[in-house]
Amino acid sequence: MSGGSVWFLLAGAAAALLAAFLYRYRELPVRGRGLLAFLRILAFLLVGFLLANPGVPGLDPDRPARGGVRVLIHADPSLELPGTEGRLLDEVMVRAEALGRMGATLALAIPGERATEAVDASALPRRTLPAPGVDLAAGVARLAELGADTIVLLSTLRISAAEWDRLQRSTGVPLRIERFGGGVRNVAVAELDLPERIPAGGGVEGSVALFGEGGAPGDEVEVEIRGDGTLLERLVLPLPEPGSVARADFRLPVPPDGRDGVRYTARVTAEGDVFPADDERVRWVEIGEPVGGVLLLSFRPDWEPGVLLPVLTEVTGLEGEGYLSAGGRWLSLESGDAPVRTLEASALAARMASASLLVLHGIGSALEAPLRVEVEAHPRVLLLPDGPEGTVLVGVQSERAGSGDWPVLPEIPPSPVRPFLEGVRLGTVPPLGEVLVQVGGVEGLPVLRIRPEGSDRSAAAVILVTSGERRRAVALATGFWRWGVRDGEPRSLYRGLWAGVAGWLLERSGTPGFIGVRPGRPVVDRGPISWIVSPEFQGGEVQLQSSGEGGTEPRPGLETGPDSAPPESFPIGTAGSLQSPPLPPGRYQYTARAPDGGGEVNGSFEVEAWVPSLRHPPVEGPRSETILAAGESGDQAQTRPLRTHPLPYLLLLGLLSAEWIGRRRIGLR
C-alpha cells in the first residue's frame, strides 16, 4: 500500500474519532445515540477506504480486454537433445498441443525484427528449427504488445546470463517459464580462427577453442584439423568446464602449389557426446597475394574506417583490407578475435600499387616518399583528409571552414552519384563537421552540399576530381560514420553515397574488379544468406542446387516438409541487395544470370552445420516458475480497485441514510 493510501486511512480514522467525540459530548443524551455514532464512524472509515482505493477480488471493468494466454516456443536446435521419452522437441510439442487445446495461442520465436510468428500446433512438426540468434526477450515483449494476458515460455533456457536478465525485465505481463532438459555430456568447437588469405608458400597459423559440459576431472577430448579432408594436426585438450572455453594454437604445413584455396575443418570427438551438430567448424583460406580489392589506410584512430571498409567491400564485391599507422608500422584492422597482423612500409607500397581502390583516411602531410609516390600515381583514390595538407596530395587546395554542425542541404547536385542518393530524406541525417572548403587546384564536382544553420554559405561535402586518366573522390567533411551506424535513412544515405562514389571511381578503370553475384562468404552460417551483387546483374536471377559434396550430414531440426523446401531460384532486387532464404547445411552450386541475357556466372558455397545452442549451460532453477511484471503481485490479475466496485457506494449511501432517519426519529437535528 502506498504512502498516500495510508494517509487517507488515517484521515478516515481521525474523522471517525471526531464523530465519536461529537456524539459523546456535543449531542443530547438521548436513547440510541450510540448506534447513530457507530453508523457515522463506519461511514467515515468507508470513505477513507474509498480514497485509499485498495484492490479487492474481482475483474476490473476499466482494464482493457487482452488476448488471453500466449505460448512462446523457443524452437532452438538444443531441443534435439534426448529427453525422458525421445527428444526434448517431442516433449515441447506435446506440451504446446495441450496448451493449444486449452485455448492458448501458439507462437514461435524467430530471428529478426518480427521476433515471433503465429503457428498452428498441427503445423509445428513440419517446420524447420529457426537459425540460432533468437531474441527471447524481444519475443516476450512482442507478445505483450500484441495483448497477451499471460505468456508461457517453453524453452531449454540455454541462454547467457545477460539474456536471462533481459528476459526477466522484458515482460509487462506475468510470464511463466517451463524448462525442458538439463545438463548433458557435450563438447563442441566454439571457434576456428584462420586467416582469410595466406601468401603462396607460407604456413598457416590458427587457433581452435572448445566449449562443453558434463565432464569429469581429467577428461580430455581430441581435435582433428584437416585440410581438404587430409589430417594435418591432432590436438588433445581438457574438456572445458560449463560456461568456459579451452583454446589451443597450431601451425599447419604449407599448402601444395597450384591451390587457389583450401577447405580447413576442425572436428572434436568425445565419448558420450549427445549433440553432434556443434562438433565441427569449417573455414576456407585463399592462397596467394591479393590482387585488386579495396585497400584502406588510416593515419589516425577514428570510427570511420571500421564503418566504411565493410560498406565498400559490400557495394563493390571486392576483397577489403585495412591498416592503421602506428609508429612506423602498419597494423591490420581486423574484426572479432582474429590476430592483428603487421606490415612494413615497403610491402605496403607494393600492395597500394596492386589495389583496385585506394582509400586514405586521416592523412595529412606526414607521408613517406615511397607511399606518396604510390598515392600520386594511383588511378583510383578515395581521400578522407585530416586537413588542407592532405588534399594537396590529389591536387586540391583547401582551407578550414571551422567546426560545428553542418546539416546536409536537401538539393542533390547533378553528378554521377546522384542516382544513388535519390529517395533519401536528407533532412533526417545527422550533420557533419570539421569542414574544408576548396579554394584552388583541380576543379571538383560536388556530390552533396552542406551549410551551417543561420548562414548563407554552403560547401561541398564530397567532390569528384578527374585528372587525366586518374580519378579521385575527396571528402571535405568529417563524421560520415554517424550515418553508417544508424538505421533507416542515415544508413541508406551512407551506403548510397559510397556505393555511388566507388562505382564512379572504378568505372572503366581497367583494374581487376568483381562482376557477378556471390555470397558474402564462402562458408555461411545457418539463416538467411546475404549476397553481393554487381550492377550488371541487378534485376537478374539466381538458381541454386545442392552439389552433393560433403558437408551434408543431417542437421538437428524439425522434419522438413514441402513448405520448407529451399527455393530453386529467386530474383535479384534492382537495388543491388539480395538475401535468400535459409538452406540446410551442405555444399551448393549456383548460377546467376544477368537480365536480358547479359551474361551469367557460376560459383559454389557451403552452409555450415554448426550451431552454438549448447554454448551456455541451462539456466538453473525449478522446472516451472512464474516471473511477474514489475509492480505486480501474484493475484493482481484477479483483483480490481475498490473504487470500481458498486458495493462500497451502496453501503455508504445506506449508512448515511440510516443515520439521518435515526436522528429524525429520536429528535436530533
Side-chain angles (χ1 to χ4, degrees):
M1 184 176 295
S2 65
S5 300
V6 172
W7 283 110
F8 284 130
L9 290 178
L10 291 177
L17 291 175
L18 178 62
F21 174 80
L22 292 176
Y23 266 101
R24 178 68 176 84
Y25 296 105
R26 293 292 184 265
E27 298 289 356
L28 295 175
V30 295
R31 184 180 179 184
R33 63 174 181 166
L35 177 60
L36 297 179
F38 179 70
L39 294 176
R40 182 175 293 189
I41 290 172
L42 288 180
F44 279 128
L45 290 176
L46 184 55
V47 170
F49 272 101
L50 284 172
L51 293 175
N53 197 31
V56 296
L59 297 178
D60 186 356
D62 295 329
R63 185 176 183 179
R66 299 186 66 87
V69 177
R70 300 287 183 99
V71 177
L72 183 62
I73 304 170
H74 183 201
D76 185 78
S78 60
L79 291 178
E80 283 294 320
L81 291 171
T84 54
E85 296 181 4
R87 303 172 299 172
L88 294 179
L89 178 61
D90 301 325
E91 299 179 14
V92 169
M93 294 303 104
V94 170
R95 178 58 176 157
E97 291 175 357
L99 292 171
R101 288 193 298 269
M102 291 187 290
T105 303
L106 305 185
L108 194 68
I110 60 174
E113 296 182 357
R114 289 172 53 199
T116 63
E117 176 186 348
V119 292
D120 184 80
S122 61
L124 283 173
R126 299 196 303 271
R127 294 292 303 271
T128 58
L129 290 175
V134 170
D135 189 340
L136 287 181
V140 169
R142 177 64 175 163
L143 292 183
E145 292 173 359
L146 293 175
D149 186 62
T150 300
I151 299 173
V152 179
L153 173 62
L154 309 181
S155 172
T156 60
L157 278 190
R158 287 184 171 270
I159 57 179
S160 65
E163 188 175 359
W164 172 241
D165 292 338
R166 287 185 58 234
L167 181 63
Q168 296 179 88
R169 298 193 305 266
S170 64
T171 177
V173 297
L175 169 65
R176 188 168 81 246
I177 297 177
E178 298 187 11
R179 295 169 171 80
F180 292 82
V184 295
R185 180 173 174 81
N186 176 66
V187 64
V189 180
E191 301 166 5
L192 175 59
D193 290 332
L194 289 170
E196 295 183 359
R197 180 179 293 275
I198 59 172
V204 182
E205 295 183 356
S207 66
V208 63
L210 307 181
F211 67 84
E213 62 179 282
D219 275 1
E220 293 182 333
V221 295
E222 189 175 88
V223 184
E224 293 183 347
I225 311 296
R226 295 178 179 267
D228 287 338
T230 302
L231 179 62
L232 302 176
E233 183 75 29
R234 181 178 281 112
L235 307 172
V236 177
L237 298 176
L239 181 65
E241 294 292 328
S244 63
V245 297
R247 184 180 297 273
D249 298 327
F250 56 82
R251 182 177 179 84
L252 304 179
V254 178
D257 293 338
R259 295 285 186 91
D260 294 329
V262 178
R263 179 181 184 266
Y264 290 99
T265 61
R267 172 174 285 275
V268 62
T269 56
E271 184 179 355
D273 191 325
V274 299
F275 193 69
D278 55 11
D279 290 351
E280 183 178 83
R281 299 302 306 263
V282 181
R283 293 291 182 268
W284 275 89
V285 177
E286 302 294 329
I287 302 175
E289 296 296 333
V291 177
V294 179
L295 178 63
L296 185 149
L297 304 180
S298 180
F299 292 81
R300 61 179 175 83
D302 190 68
W303 291 101
E304 196 74 58
V307 182
L308 177 60
L309 184 58
V311 170
L312 288 177
T313 57
E314 181 179 350
V315 299
T316 62
L318 302 173
E319 291 188 51
E321 288 182 279
Y323 294 91
L324 172 66
S325 176
R329 294 188 306 166
W330 292 87
L331 306 180
S332 61
L333 297 174
E334 302 288 354
S335 60
D337 297 326
V340 176
R341 296 175 288 113
T342 60
L343 200 65
E344 299 298 330
S346 57
L348 182 62
R351 179 67 186 97
M352 291 169 65
S354 66
S356 299
L357 177 60
L358 181 60
V359 184
L360 304 175
H361 166 264
I363 188 170
S365 58
L367 189 62
E368 299 178 26
L371 303 185
R372 179 180 290 271
V373 170
E374 295 298 337
V375 172
E376 294 174 348
H378 201 284
R380 302 293 185 264
V381 177
L382 170 57
L383 186 69
L384 295 89
D386 192 31
E389 300 83 1
T391 62
V392 174
L393 291 171
V394 294
V396 174
Q397 297 178 5
S398 63
E399 63 180 17
R400 296 187 184 273
S403 57
D405 292 340
W406 289 67
V408 180
L409 295 178
E411 298 81 13
I412 304 176
S415 75
V417 183
R418 182 171 181 171
F420 293 84
L421 307 179
E422 293 177 341
V424 179
R425 295 175 298 171
L426 301 182
T428 63
V429 302
L432 301 175
E434 298 286 339
V435 176
L436 301 175
V437 177
Q438 184 178 3
V439 295
V442 183
E443 188 66 25
L445 180 65
V447 172
L448 284 175
R449 298 199 69 87
I450 52 180
R451 182 173 61 198
E453 296 182 0
S455 173
D456 57 357
R457 182 189 182 188
S458 64
V462 180
I463 60 174
L464 308 179
V465 177
T466 303
S467 177
E469 295 297 324
R470 295 191 294 270
R471 290 186 175 186
R472 281 87 169 85
V474 185
L476 296 176
T478 61
F480 292 95
W481 63 270
R482 297 188 184 96
W483 302 350
V485 298
R486 285 174 167 82
D487 294 328
E489 301 282 351
R491 182 173 296 177
S492 298
L493 177 60
Y494 190 83
R495 178 186 172 89
L497 171 64
W498 299 122
V501 168
W504 176 79
L505 287 170
L506 295 172
E507 183 183 15
R508 296 188 297 273
S509 64
T511 57
F514 172 74
I515 297 178
V517 179
R518 64 175 173 83
R521 294 181 298 160
V523 179
V524 299
D525 301 328
R526 298 191 187 199
I529 302 170
S530 297
W531 299 72
I532 295 174
V533 182
S534 67
E536 295 84 356
F537 280 75
Q538 295 178 18
E541 71 168 8
V542 174
Q543 291 186 346
L544 274 176
Q545 67 178 21
S546 174
S547 68
E549 301 177 10
T552 55
E553 46 183 84
R555 60 171 176 166
L558 295 170
E559 212 176 290
T560 302
D563 59 341
S564 60
E568 294 183 358
S569 65
F570 44 86
I572 301 172
T574 55
S577 60
L578 176 62
Q579 193 173 68
S580 61
L583 295 171
R587 305 273 194 93
Y588 292 88
Q589 295 176 339
Y590 65 89
T591 300
R593 294 184 173 86
D596 304 325
E600 70 176 39
V601 295
N602 301 285
S604 63
F605 66 96
E606 181 174 348
V607 178
E608 192 176 28
W610 183 82
V611 292
S613 300
L614 270 63
R615 180 152 196 165
H616 302 289
V619 175
E620 296 182 359
R623 288 293 179 183
S624 179
E625 67 176 89
T626 298
I627 299 173
L628 299 176
E632 287 191 337
S633 61
D635 60 350
Q636 182 175 359
Q638 305 298 324
T639 63
R640 62 187 298 179
L642 179 63
R643 278 184 286 188
T644 65
H645 204 291
L647 183 59
Y649 298 98
L650 295 176
L651 181 58
L652 179 61
L653 182 60
L655 292 173
L656 294 176
S657 299
E659 183 195 4
W660 182 79
I661 293 173
R663 288 178 64 86
R664 291 299 181 267
R665 290 180 65 89
I666 63 177
L668 295 177
R669 294 183 179 181

